[in-house]
């Protein structure tokens, strides 16, 4: 199974969360983008629920998103996007 889409969503979410400048200057935009990313993550998870390894499904459904990303990067041997 190709996990690149969910990996990109999870990585993008971390980038948006850690964007201090956006938080200070455009907090409403940051919240909108986080909401959109959360909705996309939820949708992806729902669409692929039956295909996912149990541990990854657990992380995504319980919103342990850093653990989900760590799982993808470690357990599956996937490189970070953009490398």
């Amino acid at each position: 199974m190709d996990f690149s889409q969910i990996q990109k969503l999870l990585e993008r979410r971390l980038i948006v969360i850690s964007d201090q400048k956006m938080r200070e200057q455009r907090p409403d935009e940051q919240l909108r983008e986080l909401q959109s990313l959360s909705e996309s993550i939820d949708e992806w998870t729902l669409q692929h629920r039956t295909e996912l390894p149990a541990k990854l499904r657990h992380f995504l459904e319980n919103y342990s998103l850093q653990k989900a990303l760590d799982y993808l990067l470690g357990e599956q041997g996937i490189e970070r996007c953009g490398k």
Side-chain angles (χ1 to χ4, degrees):
M1 178 172 185
D2 180 15
F3 294 107
S4 61
Q5 183 181 7
I6 191 66
Q7 180 186 349
K8 287 176 186 175
L9 289 169
L10 293 169
E11 289 179 338
R12 179 67 189 148
R13 185 176 177 277
L14 286 175
I15 290 168
V16 172
I17 286 172
S18 65
D19 189 336
Q20 185 71 26
K21 185 176 179 180
M22 181 185 271
R23 183 178 310 117
E24 292 171 0
Q25 296 178 359
R26 304 180 319 275
D28 292 340
E29 180 182 336
Q30 185 182 41
L31 288 175
R32 278 192 301 274
E33 189 164 352
L34 286 171
Q35 179 65 34
S36 176
L37 286 164
S38 293
E39 290 170 2
S40 296
I41 290 167
D42 291 343
E43 182 180 323
W44 188 94
T45 301
L46 185 62
Q47 288 177 355
H48 298 91
R49 188 183 189 308
T50 60
E51 308 165 59
L52 297 176
K55 191 175 241 183
L56 179 59
R57 185 176 62 243
H58 170 80
F59 291 149
L60 291 169
E61 289 177 347
N62 290 290
Y63 250 72
S64 297
L65 301 181
Q66 181 62 58
K67 288 181 181 180
L69 183 57
D70 291 345
Y71 176 87
L72 289 172
L73 296 172
E75 295 287 327
Q76 299 299 316
I78 298 174
E79 293 183 16
R80 284 198 180 272
C81 292
K83 278 193 171 182

